[in-house]
Amino acid sequence: MKKIAIMTSGGDAPGMNACIRALVRYGIYREYKVYGIERGYAGMISGDIFQMYPRSVSDIIQRGGTILKTARSLEFKEASVRAEAIENLRCRDIDNLIVIGGDGSFRGALTLHDEFGINVIGIPGTIDNDLGYTDLTLGFDTAVNTVLSAINNLRDTNAAHERVSIVEVMGRNCGDIALYSGLAGGCEYVLVPEIQTDFREVAQKVILSAKRGKTSNMIVFAEGAGNKQELIDTIKEATGKTPTVTTLGHIQRGGAPSMVDRVLAAKFATHAIDLLRKGEGAKAVGIKDYKIFSMDLDKALEVKKVVDAELYKMTQQLSL
Ligand code: F6P
């Protein structure tokens, strides 16, 4: 019987568990033996690898996090360590590997393919939505909904106190969490790492919006969008109002996955297993224009993530 190992790697994202469940169950349905590797590449090195069964993944579809646990392994960057790790697959006759993770996790998988001929498939799983080849990564939709729920709460108190409020969101160098939650949350300003913003413009917008009758303002600030303190100081100086700052942090990583992420997990997982059935390796699974597809992993990693300039423009046009 053919064998597949699966793992989650890098930052966890809601929907990873739903994807693990789908991989285990569809893998077994297609007559593979499925193995789980704990803590990503760290567990491959230490040999924390165990067989999984349909009941191993009961009652997890609705849970955030990952039952396989996850880690960012620096050790794996060393060739000798990778050779040890691969032995832990070889001694179990495993030559198929599915990795759910982001950019760094995909690069690790590609190295295993290039160096040892392991069939690897990458499933995009990160709240950041920072992989350019796919419209969506697992966990992004849920994270944005979590931010939206925080924005809704903040709007209430913001309106009551006539405040300027800054919400800081995650995303590393990618502004998608900020952009989508800012647009969907009806926020006055969205600051993203990809677009340089003069903070004085943000302050001017607060002043202008007051002239138009607005009594409160909500600004979404992506963590990579510059110096937050400078933004606070600029607004304070220009408007006389001290903005309140809410940093949402790791709250964005947890919670029950949305319908979108659960369905995406099922689609990504079945597509990944079908690729292995066809003997295709070194592929990245993604979604483009609502269609699931796959492409060469190395090519996928070359696609630069571009911020959606139309959406950004909309956030400005709709916040008069
Ligand atoms: O990549 C996901 C992410 O949550 C980023 O948005 C954030 O910058 C980073 O991980 C935080 O990393 P850590 O979990 O190591 O604190």
Side-chain angles (χ1 to χ4, degrees):
M1 214 178 202
K2 288 200 164 178
K3 296 177 178 177
I4 303 175
I6 63 175
M7 66 186 207
T8 47
S9 168
D12 64 321
M16 280 184 166
N17 273 330
C19 195
I20 293 167
R21 173 184 179 272
L23 287 169
V24 170
R25 295 209 173 152
Y26 188 62
I28 293 169
Y29 176 79
R30 290 299 182 190
E31 300 185 333
Y32 283 94
K33 272 190 181 174
V34 182
Y35 290 77
I37 304 176
E38 279 191 333
R39 297 178 195 82
Y41 294 107
M44 195 185 290
I45 299 165
S46 56
D48 290 317
I49 302 170
F50 53 91
Q51 196 174 344
M52 298 182 84
Y53 304 93
R55 292 285 74 72
S56 318
V57 290
S58 297
D59 200 28
I60 65 165
I61 195 168
Q62 79 283 20
R63 296 189 199 285
T66 156
I67 59 160
L68 289 178
K69 303 192 173 64
T70 186
R72 304 185 203 271
S73 168
L74 289 176
E75 258 190 299
F76 197 74
K77 294 199 166 134
E78 286 170 39
S80 60
V81 175
R82 285 199 294 277
E84 270 174 52
I86 219 66
E87 255 328 290
N88 284 326
L89 295 186
R90 291 248 163 91
C91 69
R92 292 171 177 84
D93 287 325
I94 299 171
D95 53 11
N96 296 304
L97 174 69
I98 299 179
V99 178
I100 312 169
D103 183 86
S105 312
F106 278 20
R107 285 184 201 283
L110 186 60
T111 308
L112 287 182
H113 172 266
D114 293 348
E115 290 179 347
F116 305 100
I118 298 281
N119 285 333
V120 292
I121 307 286
I123 293 183
T126 162
I127 63 163
D128 299 340
N129 209 36
D130 58 351
L131 291 165
Y133 79 94
T134 180
D135 287 348
L136 285 175
T137 56
L138 271 184
F140 171 67
D141 182 73
T142 306
V144 170
N145 282 317
T146 302
V147 174
L148 272 180
S149 139
I151 287 176
N152 292 343
N153 287 9
L154 283 168
R155 283 178 81 104
D156 293 343
T157 169
N158 221 22
H161 283 268
E162 303 182 303
R163 275 189 175 127
V164 177
S165 179
I166 298 174
V167 191
E168 186 183 1
V169 301
M170 278 186 167
R172 216 180 282 269
N173 302 315
C174 177
D176 274 20
I177 296 179
L179 186 56
Y180 283 76
S181 58
L183 180 64
C187 299
E188 273 67 39
Y189 222 105
V190 176
L191 289 106
V192 294
E194 299 91 334
I195 299 170
Q196 195 74 35
T197 308
D198 183 341
F199 294 157
R200 285 171 304 185
E201 269 179 33
V202 185
Q204 280 315 308
K205 182 141 189 203
V206 173
I207 293 168
L208 191 66
S209 74
K211 286 189 185 143
R212 289 182 176 136
K214 267 196 186 176
T215 55
S216 63
N217 279 261
M218 181 77 70
I219 298 161
V220 186
F221 180 83
E223 63 180 353
N227 185 330
K228 189 174 57 183
Q229 191 55 48
E230 208 180 300
L231 174 67
I232 296 168
D233 294 344
T234 310
I235 293 173
K236 196 172 161 188
E237 203 179 303
T239 67
K241 284 190 171 191
T242 306
T244 56
V245 182
T246 309
T247 302
L248 296 180
H250 288 79
I251 282 174
Q252 294 158 95
R253 291 253 288 269
S258 64
M259 175 279 284
V260 169
D261 278 326
R262 296 184 203 197
V263 172
L264 201 56
K267 289 184 175 179
F268 281 166
T270 50
H271 192 90
I273 301 273
D274 284 340
L275 285 172
L276 292 177
R277 289 172 66 219
K278 285 187 260 169
E280 292 191 42
K283 297 279 177 197
V285 178
I287 183 163
K288 200 96 215 157
D289 301 327
Y290 299 98
K291 274 193 83 69
I292 303 293
F293 76 106
S294 51
M295 65 187 288
D296 290 343
L297 194 48
D298 55 346
K299 296 277 177 314
L301 283 167
E302 279 168 18
V303 183
K304 202 177 166 316
K305 173 76 187 179
V306 184
V307 71
D308 188 332
E310 281 302 309
L311 275 196
Y312 181 77
K313 205 161 67 181
M314 264 180 228
T315 63
Q316 300 198 312
Q317 293 165 338
L318 302 183
S319 58
L320 299 181

